Amino acid sequence: MKLKSLKMLGLSAAFTLSAGTVMAAECIAPANPGGGWDFTCRQIGKIMYDIGAVDKPVQVTNMAGAGGGLAYNHVVSERGSDEDLIIAASSATSTRLAQNAYAGMTADQVRFVGAIGADPGVIAVAADSEYQSLGDLVDAIKADPGSVAFAGGSAVGGFDHLKPLMILQRAGFTDITKVKYIGVDGGADAITQTVGGFTQAMTGDMSEIVGFLKNGDIRVIAVLTEERVPGFEDIPTAKEQGFDVVAVNWRGLYVPKGISDAKFDEWADKLQQVADSDEWKEAMVANGLAPFTKVGGDFQSYVDGVVDEIRTLSKEIGVIQ
């Protein structure tokens, strides 16, 4: 009886705390707890409160389903003008929208407010590979498309597949259907395929290759960021090698389309404050993210461009009609 009374007392206290804690804003993580979208909501929301960008804690709601599609539909259909709502997003969000994976939903039904960190895209080869640079690899494909196969941790048409295709298009190579790609179960398997000589290159993210790089199993011939990644300054970007491609798995937010421009700018400012904070810099280091800050209209333009490019590429390789 005493135990039961203590449980009831604890439950009552929890209800009292919940009732007394008024949330100023809500962040929807379109997935179960754990993982990238949940991290984005919880970390950004916490830092916003810690640095005083918001005056009350940000409530996190997990809404898993359809690879982010359930949350997207919920926002568009039911929360289209909610000014106190932010939603976690990443490169997967823009890729799925470009490929019509959200059952007819389109990228222009929300507003993308910003990204403040990213897992950089990379192109890697085995340590003893004949290809010393990204240019060497591109030249080999141009001369004989069948001579180079890529391995990546996404399915055909996924973001890992699209990264080398974007590079090749910048190089003026148009017959991208001839480029060989093998989708495997994660970045580690893609590296194993490449180190073992079954493929000539691996396409993936920086977080997937760090251990293999330190062990000397591979060489990273390009990082797909605007600038070289801190801690990996010896790895050149694709851009400095003459291929104007930025392909990162960004971490950011979108908001309902129907909110006012003033509120959109306000959320962009809050996100910029997080990006500038020491707390976020520490969180990026702890979670293997590189600096990637685009907020407000600049980020919206970036997403629009990425969606258009991915849609075009996806049609060319037959992923969508």
Side-chain angles (χ1 to χ4, degrees), residues 211-252:
F212 296 93
L213 185 61
K214 290 180 178 178
N215 289 341
D217 298 321
I218 60 171
R219 284 185 291 108
V220 181
I221 56 175
V223 61
L224 309 182
T225 48
E226 294 278 0
E227 299 177 354
R228 295 195 182 197
V229 176
F232 300 91
E233 287 87 355
D234 58 329
I235 302 174
T237 66
K239 291 188 73 170
E240 67 187 83
Q241 297 180 72
F243 307 96
D244 189 11
V245 174
V246 173
V248 299
N249 186 15
W250 51 263
R251 305 290 186 188

Side-chain angles (χ1 to χ4, degrees), residues 225-305:
T225 48
E226 294 278 0
E227 299 177 354
R228 295 195 182 197
V229 176
F232 300 91
E233 287 87 355
D234 58 329
I235 302 174
T237 66
K239 291 188 73 170
E240 67 187 83
Q241 297 180 72
F243 307 96
D244 189 11
V245 174
V246 173
V248 299
N249 186 15
W250 51 263
R251 305 290 186 188
L253 302 170
Y254 66 85
V255 293
K257 184 175 183 177
I259 70 172
S260 66
D261 289 343
K263 192 66 180 182
F264 177 83
D265 292 341
E266 184 180 322
W267 277 121
D269 178 66
K270 293 179 191 301
L271 196 57
Q272 185 67 57
Q273 290 179 53
V274 174
D276 293 338
S277 70
D278 291 336
E279 289 87 344
W280 178 248
K281 292 178 177 64
E282 292 172 5
M284 285 198 297
V285 171
N287 291 276
L289 297 179
F292 181 79
T293 303
K294 291 181 183 291
V295 297
D298 181 37
F299 183 60
Q300 181 68 63
S301 297
Y302 168 78
V303 172
D304 290 343

Side-chain angles (χ1 to χ4, degrees), residues 52-300:
V54 295
D55 58 4
K56 294 181 176 66
V58 176
Q59 176 184 344
V60 176
T61 301
N62 291 94
M63 190 177 294
L70 181 65
Y72 199 86
N73 182 71
H74 171 75
V75 173
V76 172
S77 302
E78 301 179 34
R79 309 281 293 277
S81 58
D82 190 337
E83 297 197 330
D84 294 322
L85 179 65
I86 52 178
I87 307 93
S90 66
S91 296
T93 310
S94 53
T95 299
R96 288 167 185 161
L97 285 165
Q99 295 177 340
N100 196 28
Y102 289 168
M105 293 283 173
T106 56
D108 61 359
Q109 291 178 294
V110 300
R111 301 179 74 178
F112 287 86
V113 73
I116 60 171
D119 195 354
V122 296
I123 303 295
V125 296
D128 60 355
S129 171
E130 63 183 290
Y131 305 115
Q132 297 299 313
S133 69
L134 186 58
D136 290 346
L137 193 67
V138 169
D139 287 344
I141 294 170
K142 282 183 168 182
D144 179 8
S147 66
V148 174
F150 291 89
S154 72
V156 171
F159 201 46
D160 286 342
H161 184 190
L162 297 177
K163 291 169 189 172
L165 302 186
M166 293 164 72
I167 293 168
L168 288 162
Q169 281 204 327
R170 297 297 193 281
F173 182 81
T174 56
D175 199 359
I176 58 175
T177 58
K178 290 185 177 179
V179 178
K180 293 182 179 180
Y181 174 80
I182 299 173
V184 294
D185 190 16
D189 285 354
I191 291 171
T192 300
Q193 292 285 318
T194 301
V195 171
F198 299 102
T199 59
Q200 286 66 53
M202 177 265 187
T203 163
D205 295 325
M206 179 68 78
S207 62
E208 298 173 318
I209 57 89
V210 172
F212 296 93
L213 185 61
K214 290 180 178 178
N215 289 341
D217 298 321
I218 60 171
R219 284 185 291 108
V220 181
I221 56 175
V223 61
L224 309 182
T225 48
E226 294 278 0
E227 299 177 354
R228 295 195 182 197
V229 176
F232 300 91
E233 287 87 355
D234 58 329
I235 302 174
T237 66
K239 291 188 73 170
E240 67 187 83
Q241 297 180 72
F243 307 96
D244 189 11
V245 174
V246 173
V248 299
N249 186 15
W250 51 263
R251 305 290 186 188
L253 302 170
Y254 66 85
V255 293
K257 184 175 183 177
I259 70 172
S260 66
D261 289 343
K263 192 66 180 182
F264 177 83
D265 292 341
E266 184 180 322
W267 277 121
D269 178 66
K270 293 179 191 301
L271 196 57
Q272 185 67 57
Q273 290 179 53
V274 174
D276 293 338
S277 70
D278 291 336
E279 289 87 344
W280 178 248
K281 292 178 177 64
E282 292 172 5
M284 285 198 297
V285 171
N287 291 276
L289 297 179
F292 181 79
T293 303
K294 291 181 183 291
V295 297
D298 181 37
F299 183 60
Q300 181 68 63

